[in-house]
Amino acid sequence: MDLRETPLAALDAAARTRLSQDAAVEVTLRSGTTLMYRNVGGQIVVDGDMLLGRSEDAAQVLSRLDKAPAGSLGTQSLSRFAAGGGNWANKTVPYFWKQGALSATQAAAVNAAVERWNAQAGTTLRWVWNPNAANKVEFVVGGGGCGSSYVGSIGGTQPLTIAANCFNNSTLIHEMGHAAGFHHEHQRCDRDNYITVGSAYVGDTTNFGKTCNAYTHGPYDYDSVMNYFPPYIYARSQPVGPYNGSPANLGKVSELSRGDLFALQTIYPGGTTPPPSGGTTYTGTLNSGYSTVQPGSSGFSYAGGTLKGSLTGPAGSDFDLYLQRWSGSAWGTVAQSTSPGNTETVSFAAGAGTYRWYIYSYSGSGTYSLAETK
Ligand SMILES: [Zn+2]
């Protein structure tokens, strides 16, 4: 539907109905921008899981977008926020769910995700149970993919929908990220330098297009919880330009990354983010082609749980990181991160045992830093 030829106000009843009811809709706004969306469960969905408004209000939603200045698609909904522009008041996202709407297991999963978010984000942006707030997020169980959410606060009560089988930290914190104001990392304008869209989805610009009117904070972040995962997207074997995180982690994370926290602090400035608990940093120097182990050749004993190491080698180098476990007679690699860059992150669900970090310089010499969290 081309609103440059026929303005919204002049659309006939049948065309208006199609805007609200067609499974997939493509409209060209007066600015010339083409917008594609789906009507799913009574909501207008763009980019896979981001909501623009209720389908029955499609004409009003499009009218708002149609009036936006050329080159932008409105002040919210399609844009991650500019620095300082996050729009939840008091650095708080009030949330609730209706009594009986979630099973005990689902409620426990949301509680765990909120607890994880708040532990990581500190006072930057907190999720607080408050069914009486004027503007708030309502957790609901629903279909149409794993989850969906508006981007940022839209005023009033806004749904955050999770499918019954998707109550896990990775889905919940991803959708909470949208509600906070995050767009998809894999839809950044510069994403082609870092990822490729799976061949089955490359033509699906409704869900996998680039969003060049969104704000970006920091370099491409492979560790971001706002990435999709294979088979939808893949890390490029040779990324072009600087990046954060590790290509091997793409789509595997279930919490806010350092890059996500940086972006959150940028759009909601003034809060404090606690350092990761239990952290230890090892440093040393390594020549090209050589390897070393930390914290020493005999390793350390570990009771079990997530074991994470983030390695930063000298600028321009290619340092790789391996996690090794003692079998009783030999060291064996249980996890590794071997991107062509100088930063690597390994995150491993470790059982009880003896472990050590093995650091290898594929190319380059100099000082490295390995941050370990248990
Ligand atoms: Zn999403």
Side-chain angles (χ1 to χ4, degrees):
M1 220 171 281
D2 193 335
L3 301 182
R4 292 171 304 180
E5 293 169 2
T6 311
L8 265 173
L11 287 179
D12 60 25
R16 285 172 167 268
T17 301
R18 282 172 48 207
L19 293 176
S20 301
Q21 295 186 357
D22 278 9
V25 181
E26 179 174 332
V27 289
T28 302
L29 303 174
R30 285 186 302 178
S31 63
T33 303
T34 297
L35 174 70
M36 286 175 284
Y37 65 86
R38 298 176 196 279
N39 288 301
V40 181
Q43 299 280 346
I44 299 168
V45 183
V46 294
D47 296 336
D49 66 343
M50 285 179 260
L51 305 180
L52 282 189
R54 293 187 304 176
S55 294
E56 64 190 76
D57 300 330
Q60 290 96 307
V61 170
L62 288 170
S63 174
R64 195 176 71 229
L65 295 174
D66 208 27
K67 289 186 188 121
S72 82
L73 279 174
T75 53
Q76 67 91 26
S77 294
L78 285 184
S79 289
R80 202 170 170 179
F81 296 108
N87 70 347
W88 286 99
N90 305 318
K91 300 161 81 62
T92 300
V93 183
Y95 73 94
F96 78 109
W97 56 83
K98 292 196 179 108
Q99 194 172 7
L102 271 59
S103 71
T105 311
Q106 290 163 346
V110 176
N111 287 336
V114 166
E115 193 175 318
R116 186 65 195 138
W117 177 293
N118 288 342
Q120 290 192 279
T123 59
T124 303
L125 185 70
R126 297 187 65 76
W127 287 71
V128 176
W129 175 272
N130 185 356
N132 300 317
N135 301 327
K136 55 188 178 286
V137 167
E138 178 182 4
F139 283 88
V140 294
V141 184
C146 243
S148 61
S149 171
Y150 284 87
V151 176
S153 167
I154 63 161
T157 300
Q158 62 190 73
L160 190 161
T161 305
I162 302 289
N165 59 340
C166 293
F167 277 80
N168 53 65
N169 268 17
S170 57
T171 301
L172 280 160
I173 292 178
H174 177 99
E175 299 304 340
M176 290 163 70
H178 282 316
F182 286 167
H183 202 91
H184 282 143
E185 193 73 359
H186 62 268
Q187 292 190 286
R188 286 168 60 128
C189 206
D190 60 356
R191 65 100 187 269
D192 290 339
N193 290 341
Y194 303 97
I195 60 131
T196 54
V197 175
S199 56
Y201 306 94
V202 74
D204 181 2
T205 51
T206 308
N207 295 315
F208 294 96
K210 284 192 281 189
T211 307
C212 292
N213 63 327
Y215 297 97
T216 54
H217 305 293
Y220 196 95
D221 182 12
Y222 286 107
D223 286 0
S224 172
V225 76
M226 303 313 295
N227 282 303
Y228 279 8
F229 40 84
Y232 303 109
I233 58 167
Y234 295 88
R236 280 184 63 154
S237 56
Q238 298 285 333
V240 180
Y243 58 86
N244 279 338
S246 171
N249 293 337
L250 185 72
K252 292 182 184 168
V253 296
S254 54
E255 60 181 21
L256 296 167
S257 68
R258 290 182 187 187
D260 292 333
L261 288 167
F262 170 77
L264 201 61
Q265 287 170 310
T266 304
I267 62 175
Y268 295 93
T272 54
T273 303
S277 59
T280 307
T281 300
Y282 307 105
T283 55
T285 57
L286 205 53
N287 289 329
S288 183
Y290 283 77
S291 63
T292 187
V293 288
Q294 290 286 5
S297 57
S298 54
F300 59 92
S301 60
Y302 186 51
T306 301
L307 201 48
K308 187 173 175 184
S310 297
L311 175 72
T312 305
S317 71
D318 178 3
F319 276 36
D320 295 329
L321 179 64
Y322 300 77
L323 178 65
Q324 298 183 325
R325 185 169 195 264
W326 180 248
S327 70
S329 57
W331 290 99
T333 296
V334 292
Q336 59 185 282
S337 180
T338 58
S339 82
N342 69 325
T343 62
E344 305 290 351
T345 301
V346 166
S347 185
F348 183 67
T354 301
Y355 295 88
R356 70 180 187 183
W357 300 102
Y358 179 93
I359 302 155
Y360 172 64
S361 169
Y362 183 83
S363 70
S365 305
T367 303
Y368 66 85
S369 162
L370 171 63
E372 171 195 82
T373 51
K374 295 173 179 171

